[in-house]
Amino acid sequence: MIDPASVPASPVIVIEMTARGETVVDGVLVPAPAEFARTEAIRRVSVKALSLGRAVRTVAVEADGTRWPLIVDVDGEVTAVDAHPAPDPRPRLPRPVLVEESPARPTAGQPAAPVRFETVEAPRATAVEPVDAPVPDPTPDPILDASAAERRHALLVRIHTAVAAEDWTEARTRAVQLTADDPHPPRGAREVRAYVAALTGEPELAARIYADLVLEPEADAESDAALRQLADNAYTSWRRVARRRARLDVGPSVLRAQVRARGTDDPATQAARRWLEELRLLD
């Protein structure tokens, strides 16, 4: 018999039964027939317990939202509990920054200036400090139900780990999952999707997402500094797009984002306008 008091408060592994009859463990689909999926899910949790050398806390979430707090031991033994204690505060995930090396006016027909990617510790969106480059906030949206928030956090942790290890295939896969099942993904999740797209060779997609985040009505709630960060990330990503036709297609949105975030007369806005005009002359 597992003593619940001996099991640390975290991690809490989420087993979710979806309305489609699928079973998902921490954001990963269990590829098993429905009648075996729950057993396989518990087995996967027990493998995690074995890797930690101890039992782990689990929450089984039914399709109707009913939640069952459980503890799973290394041998697959399951113990139901009334509730899990509040976990220790989650460590802050470093937030990604795109930094363009040179703000100089681009030359028509020449490759874009190189881009350097850094990871910095940044404040929450409620207290954004001015920085030199855009900083997406990967914090799960608080309006999400607990199951979705836990799943999103698990994906964010995996993305951060993959980026740190330069495992670009894993980072892209998890970033796609972050927004794939939600018709209206939170802004923070879309920013992370854009960041990973920029890192993994999809600058056109990154530029479109960043520009949309500046131009949509929800951006009214953002600080001026946050909007400038998003617009600059859109511009930096746009500069890295290789195909001229794609540059022309996404350019107007990037320019509108600069105008909204910085104003018509800002040097960055003027540089974006000049480059778009030069691209059109070459078309």
Side-chain angles (χ1 to χ4, degrees):
M1 183 69 179
I2 304 170
D3 178 12
S6 68
V7 182
S10 61
V12 178
I13 299 175
V14 179
I15 300 175
E16 182 179 11
M17 279 61 77
T18 72
R20 296 190 296 270
E22 300 168 335
T23 300
V24 179
V25 177
D26 264 1
V28 179
L29 181 67
V30 175
E35 61 268 29
F36 301 113
R38 293 175 185 248
T39 301
E40 173 62 15
I42 293 297
R43 187 195 70 79
R44 292 189 176 205
V45 176
S46 70
V47 170
K48 174 64 174 179
L50 186 61
S51 71
L52 295 174
R54 60 169 175 80
V56 295
R57 295 184 180 274
T58 302
V59 174
V61 184
E62 302 287 350
D64 63 2
T66 304
R67 300 169 65 82
W68 302 98
L70 308 170
I71 293 177
V72 179
D73 206 349
V74 296
D75 59 1
E77 179 185 357
V78 179
T79 300
V81 294
D82 293 333
H84 291 311
D88 295 332
R90 291 170 176 169
R92 273 195 180 279
L93 292 177
R95 296 165 65 187
V97 178
L98 300 181
V99 181
E100 187 171 5
E101 295 288 357
S102 172
R105 172 182 174 179
T107 302
Q110 296 298 318
V115 176
R116 173 166 50 89
F117 296 92
E118 300 180 334
T119 301
V120 299
E121 197 69 21
R124 297 178 67 88
T126 53
V128 175
E129 296 178 1
V131 295
D132 292 335
V135 182
D137 181 1
T139 305
D141 193 318
I143 68 171
L144 295 173
D145 64 86
S147 174
E150 289 167 356
R151 184 170 64 252
R152 201 178 302 281
H153 176 76
L155 287 171
L156 287 166
V157 171
R158 294 187 184 203
I159 292 168
H160 172 59
T161 300
V163 169
E166 298 186 357
D167 185 348
W168 306 126
T169 300
E170 172 74 1
R172 179 184 292 172
T173 299
R174 300 305 177 189
V176 170
Q177 290 179 340
L178 194 62
T179 58
D181 296 331
D182 190 340
H184 303 290
R187 288 174 62 82
R190 289 157 60 201
E191 288 182 51
V192 173
R193 176 72 180 98
Y195 170 68
V196 173
L199 276 180
T200 56
E202 298 179 286
E204 181 183 353
L205 174 62
R208 290 185 185 280
I209 295 175
Y210 280 126
D212 287 346
L213 287 167
V214 175
L215 296 172
E216 66 187 15
E218 290 80 358
D220 291 340
E222 298 278 9
S223 68
D224 291 343
L227 283 181
R228 288 194 296 269
Q229 290 163 8
L230 290 169
D232 287 349
N233 263 1
Y235 178 75
T236 297
S237 300
W238 179 43
R239 290 280 306 276
R240 302 183 70 229
V241 176
R243 294 187 304 112
R244 183 179 299 168
R245 173 51 53 189
R247 289 177 181 174
L248 284 168
D249 288 345
V250 74
S253 294
V254 174
L255 178 57
R256 289 197 301 273
Q258 286 286 350
V259 170
R260 180 173 186 185
R262 293 184 173 275
T264 303
D265 299 327
D266 187 271
T269 304
Q270 293 176 357
R273 180 179 291 107
R274 285 195 300 268
W275 198 44
L276 181 58
E277 290 172 352
E278 290 170 354
L279 290 172
R280 285 170 172 166
L281 288 175
L282 292 172
D283 187 31

